[in-house]
Amino acid sequence: MHIIVPIKQVPETSNVKMDPVTGTMIRAGVGTVVNPLDLFAIETAVRLKEAHGGRITTLTMGPRGADKALREAMAMGCDDGVLISDRAFAGSDSWATSYTLSQAIRKLGDFDLIVAGERATDGDTGQVGPGIAAWLDLPLATYVAAITRVEPARGLTVERLVEEGYQVVDLPFPALITVVKEVAAPRLPTLRGKKRAKAAEIPLFTAADLDLEPSYLGLKGSPTKVVKVATPKVTRGGTLVRALDEDAVADAVDQLLAFLDARDLLPTGGRA
Amino acid sequence: MSFVWTLAEQHEGRLKAVSYELLGRGRALADKLDTKLASLLIGDGVSDEQLQTLVHHGADEVYAIQDPRLASFTCETYSNVLVHLIKTYRPSVILAAATSTGRTLMPHVAVRSHAGLTADCTELDIEPGTGHLLQTRPAIGGNIMATIKTPDHRPQMATVRPKSSRPLPADPTRAGRVIEVPLDLVLVDERVQARGYRGDAVDFVNLEEADVVIAGGRGMKKAEHFALLQGLAKALGGAVGATRDAVDRGWIGYPHQVGLSGKTISPRLYVGAGISGAIQHLAGIKTSETIVSINSDPDASLHQVADFGIVGDLFQVLNELQRRLDERRRGGEEDRA
Ligand SMILES: Cc1cc2nc3c(=O)[nH]c(=O)nc-3n(C[C@H](O)[C@H](O)[C@H](O)COP(=O)(O)OP(=O)(O)OC[C@H]3O[C@@H](n4cnc5c(N)ncnc54)[C@H](O)[C@@H]3O)c2cc1C
Ligand SMILES: Cc1cc2nc3c(=O)[nH]c(=O)nc-3n(C[C@H](O)[C@H](O)[C@H](O)COP(=O)(O)OP(=O)(O)OC[C@H]3O[C@@H](n4cnc5c(N)ncnc54)[C@H](O)[C@@H]3O)c2cc1C
């Protein structure tokens, strides 16, 4: 089985603090990581490979330094990494990103499955996975929480976590799935994996290496344009009530009920 | 004249509430653009009576494409249908819900229609002068609000966060047409087969569509204590949510997880008990209309973003709150008796 895992390098936000005065994100000293939700995609691919054999190619479109993310994925068990990087790709929206990634995937040749993350934690659109499926006309299942059947060369059965429950879906290979946290708990990289990843040769695809329509690339090729960025206020200036003994608890709950009532948030038909 | 379209959603023949929220949004845009608003339903088994309610909530026209082959969402066929309709009618704006369906279908269609798509919007407006759609959305875990425009491509497509606006009140006297559009069988793609739902779909939590979410974190201390939250959720007409820490401890299932690696919600009321308010949790709740925090630590981050916070022991507070709500309910029953 050949499995492809597209991953994105994102700013490390788990330690991010908001500046209470300016309301902006304190970015100083913030490094980059593999999009945390892509770890579930990597783990899914590694488990499929362990069960059915084959190889995993991980790829990312990003700055030259994004090979770091690929090496992290390789340390977890991906066999190969491909870096897609060119100034021409800068500023791509999800439409242009999914186009460029699709053309890179075409160049990689035959594959059985693409496993993408549900969303990247920065751009946060969740649109790149379905976008790649559209470009490559691949059967698609999003929000996959479990893979319950795999028949190599034939297809797979997955459970999608949707609003009403877990929807069971059959897909033929080659297909594209996007996965959620429940699918598999990511493993830690092994020392051996890290060593191998560090030494690995990572091919670079630039715009010249791919068969691309120039008007589909980067900022210019992106239909959406970000025209304004604002920082929402962090605090709502709410009321804080202390309830450290029994009387104070009763009093605090009184105030809370009055507050909810004033906002019309209590079920009707009763009296406080 | 290019219309504004909204996509209605159905499950097992019943329209979902988000269909009406989108019509409220769409109505405002269509009025500003001086054009018509159409609601599109792709599905099966939705009665004519229900389709009329889309008119009552703001649609000028309703296109219903219904067929047993469309009963369950599969992206390929739905995408074929929508791409075909876009080619035929050339709408200027399409809004869908940022649900599992909308967030799958819309990017697929946007690629094929060479259209821009803005994800998970919480505000929409029309730019004076140009008539472009201004789409505002939270990004980077809700830490920024980005306003996005699609100047050169049509349709302008957006998914809209469920619960981020309220539907217009129903007006049964509103005039509008319901048009049944037959499914052209060449559009059916049978590669992906939906096989129904796993057995535990009964009583499944639909957190994204709940008006009230009562969430618990590590401060709940054990699984059994989540019954407290269930009780309150019942009394307030809501569902139970949780932090990653609570889910990872096995106190409650993953479908209840709210935040960066769980669900993003926008209920009218969110109550967090024993939740510190980590940035990854806040990412999932920031656009809630009202936030209430119950935490013994006065410096907990959740208190800082709350509209109402109680510094105290959550067990005492929740029990007292439950008692008072039960009292109110009984009072109400006596009033009616
Ligand atoms: C504030 C802000 C708002 C934005 N809003 C929009 C918007 O509404 N619409 C829009 O079209 N664009 C938007 N963008 C641009 C968008 O962030 C970029 O297109 C980005 O390249 C991909 O989108 P994402 O981060 O949303 O990824 P997602 O679509 O959330 O990522 C899903 C999955 O796709 C794969 N993937 C994503 N990016 C890459 C990559 N570079 N290389 C390999 N695999 C990848 C990963 O598996 C990932 O888990 C916005 C950008 C910013 C900064
Ligand atoms: C990549 C990534 C993704 C993540 N995704 C998510 C996500 O989707 N959702 C999520 O929630 N988290 C997520 N997290 C985890 C997040 O960083 C926090 O660790 C988590 O939200 C903390 O959960 P908590 O508030 O339940 O626990 P804690 O932070 O331990 O807070 C417990 C709180 O309970 C209070 N408390 C204890 N006892 C009582 C009592 N008797 N009465 C009142 N208060 C009491 C304490 O004062 C404390 O504030 C993610 C982290 C990372 C790195």
Side-chain angles (χ1 to χ4, degrees):
Chain A
M1 227 165 136
H2 182 202
I3 305 171
I4 294 175
V5 184
I7 63 172
K8 189 179 185 190
Q9 189 179 51
V10 299
E12 233 253 271
T13 53
S14 54
N15 304 317
V16 161
K17 297 266 165 355
M18 298 303 287
D19 185 324
V21 182
T22 60
T24 53
M25 206 156 89
I26 301 169
R27 283 239 183 197
V30 176
T32 58
V33 291
V34 175
N35 170 31
L37 305 193
D38 290 347
L39 300 180
F40 307 118
I42 297 167
E43 180 64 31
T44 302
V46 173
R47 289 191 188 186
L48 286 172
K49 180 183 121 176
E50 283 170 352
H52 305 283
R55 68 195 168 92
I56 305 167
T57 307
T58 180
L59 75 176
T60 192
M61 180 180 100
R64 288 291 159 99
D67 68 301
K68 177 171 159 266
L70 296 171
R71 290 184 203 279
E72 277 176 56
M74 291 168 77
M76 283 175 68
C78 296
D79 299 280
D80 301 302
V82 174
L83 177 62
I84 304 150
S85 188
D86 197 303
R87 268 216 211 119
F89 306 147
S92 297
D93 73 354
S94 66
W95 193 94
T97 300
S98 59
Y99 170 69
T100 305
L101 288 173
S102 301
Q103 292 307 94
I105 290 169
R106 282 186 207 276
K107 193 181 158 96
L108 294 177
D110 286 344
F111 60 89
D112 298 282
L113 185 65
I114 300 176
V115 187
E118 179 207 337
R119 270 181 293 129
T121 55
D122 55 348
D124 213 3
T125 67
Q127 291 172 181
V128 171
I132 295 172
W135 282 111
L136 299 177
D137 191 24
L138 293 171
L140 166 68
T142 48
Y143 303 96
V144 168
I147 299 175
T148 54
R149 178 190 67 104
V150 178
E151 267 183 72
R154 303 280 301 269
L156 73 171
T157 303
V158 300
E159 295 177 355
R160 303 178 62 224
L161 178 58
V162 300
E163 290 78 2
E164 290 79 19
Y166 291 89
Q167 188 196 26
V168 181
V169 172
D170 288 339
L171 305 94
F173 289 129
L176 187 148
I177 62 174
T178 73
V179 295
V180 297
K181 169 189 158 180
E182 207 175 8
V183 76
R187 71 194 61 199
L188 293 171
T190 59
L191 201 60
R192 219 177 100 229
K194 276 189 188 164
K195 273 198 188 137
R196 201 184 61 81
K198 202 172 161 206
E201 185 99 21
I202 293 193
L204 170 72
F205 290 1
T206 64
D209 299 313
L210 299 172
D211 179 16
L212 295 167
E213 162 58 48
S215 67
Y216 288 5
L217 303 182
L219 194 61
K220 267 212 178 119
S222 294
T224 62
K225 314 279 178 205
V226 177
V227 291
K228 198 177 97 189
V229 171
T231 317
K233 64 175 191 322
V234 193
T235 60
R236 297 181 175 217
T239 320
L240 198 62
V241 182
R242 277 164 205 269
L244 301 172
D245 61 50
E246 222 168 279
D247 285 348
V249 168
D251 191 47
V253 169
D254 259 345
Q255 291 188 48
L256 173 60
L257 285 168
F259 169 84
L260 294 178
D261 209 15
R263 291 198 174 197
D264 198 17
L265 288 165
L266 292 180
T268 47
R271 277 172 317 163
Chain B
M1 184 170 56
S2 288
F3 286 14
V4 173
W5 285 2
T6 63
L7 297 191
E9 275 192 41
Q10 59 95 34
H11 179 66
E12 293 173 349
R14 290 188 57 86
L15 286 177
K16 295 212 224 171
V18 71
S19 314
Y20 305 111
E21 293 165 27
L22 290 176
L23 282 170
R25 300 274 195 179
R27 187 71 261 163
L29 301 178
D31 289 347
K32 283 197 179 168
L33 290 170
D34 199 14
T35 184
K36 284 191 177 167
L37 174 64
S39 182
L40 242 73
L41 173 86
I42 306 175
D44 191 39
V46 178
S47 66
D48 206 47
E49 218 178 335
Q50 280 192 79
L51 294 173
Q52 283 295 341
T53 63
L54 295 170
V55 173
H56 302 163
H57 282 92
D60 298 308
E61 295 189 352
V62 175
Y63 306 112
I65 306 94
Q66 301 211 72
D67 189 280
R69 279 159 285 218
L70 301 172
S72 293
F73 172 68
T74 51
C75 186
E76 295 71 24
T77 301
Y78 273 50
S79 172
N80 285 343
V81 170
L82 189 52
V83 167
H84 177 74
L85 290 169
I86 291 171
K87 275 200 192 120
T88 314
Y89 296 103
R90 310 212 157 273
S92 68
V93 172
I94 307 181
L95 307 181
T99 52
S100 59
T101 294
R103 296 193 80 162
T104 305
L105 176 62
M106 292 286 271
H108 201 270
V109 169
V111 158
R112 298 174 65 195
S113 306
H114 203 166
L117 172 61
T118 304
D120 205 18
C121 299
T122 53
E123 284 164 52
L124 295 167
D125 204 354
I126 299 294
E127 186 175 57
T130 64
H132 296 317
L133 182 64
L134 294 174
Q135 308 156 102
T136 301
R137 60 172 298 242
I140 322 203
N143 291 311
I144 65 161
M145 298 295 287
T147 301
I148 290 168
K149 214 159 70 170
T150 311
D152 306 319
H153 296 256
R154 292 294 178 271
Q156 304 162 90
M157 298 174 66
T159 58
V160 181
R161 184 172 289 189
K163 293 276 157 204
S164 64
S165 71
R166 305 238 199 117
L168 299 169
D171 174 2
T173 64
R174 271 201 90 234
R177 293 193 303 159
V178 175
I179 300 146
E180 300 276 353
V181 182
L183 171 67
D184 184 343
L185 293 186
V186 303
L187 300 177
V188 176
D189 181 338
E190 291 185 317
R191 287 178 296 172
V192 177
Q193 289 290 329
R195 301 278 180 217
Y197 288 81
R198 212 170 79 182
D200 55 4
V202 224
D203 280 343
F204 197 79
V205 271
N206 193 339
L207 268 194
E208 295 95 327
E209 286 180 21
D211 277 324
V212 175
V213 173
I214 315 291
R218 203 149 65 95
M220 295 302 296
K221 301 212 165 60
K222 45 172 134 162
E224 294 75 61
H225 292 155
F226 269 74
L228 280 172
L229 304 180
Q230 301 283 5
L232 273 179
K234 203 164 164 225
L236 290 168
V240 174
T243 63
R244 185 180 77 168
D245 284 47
V247 169
D248 287 355
R249 282 177 169 71
W251 296 347
I252 191 164
Y254 172 65
H256 297 265
Q257 184 179 320
V258 175
L260 192 69
S261 50
K263 291 179 175 171
T264 304
I265 56 172
S266 214
R268 289 194 61 211
L269 171 63
Y270 162 94
V271 179
I275 294 177
S276 59
I279 199 161
Q280 295 88 0
H281 186 73
L282 297 183
I285 65 160
K286 278 222 171 125
T287 55
S288 304
E289 210 172 292
T290 297
I291 296 177
V292 172
S293 168
I294 303 164
N295 195 312
S296 47
D297 175 3
D299 297 324
S301 305
L302 190 60
H303 279 325
Q304 263 140 56
V305 300
D307 299 284
F308 196 98
I310 298 182
V311 181
D313 176 61
L314 72 91
F315 299 101
Q316 289 182 9
V317 174
L318 294 181
N319 281 319
E320 176 67 7
L321 185 58
Q322 183 74 52
R323 200 180 61 75
R324 296 292 302 278
L325 287 169
D326 290 347
E327 231 172 64
R328 264 176 68 95
R329 202 196 54 225
R330 280 197 300 275
E333 277 161 12
E334 275 157 29
D335 277 359
R336 278 192 297 275

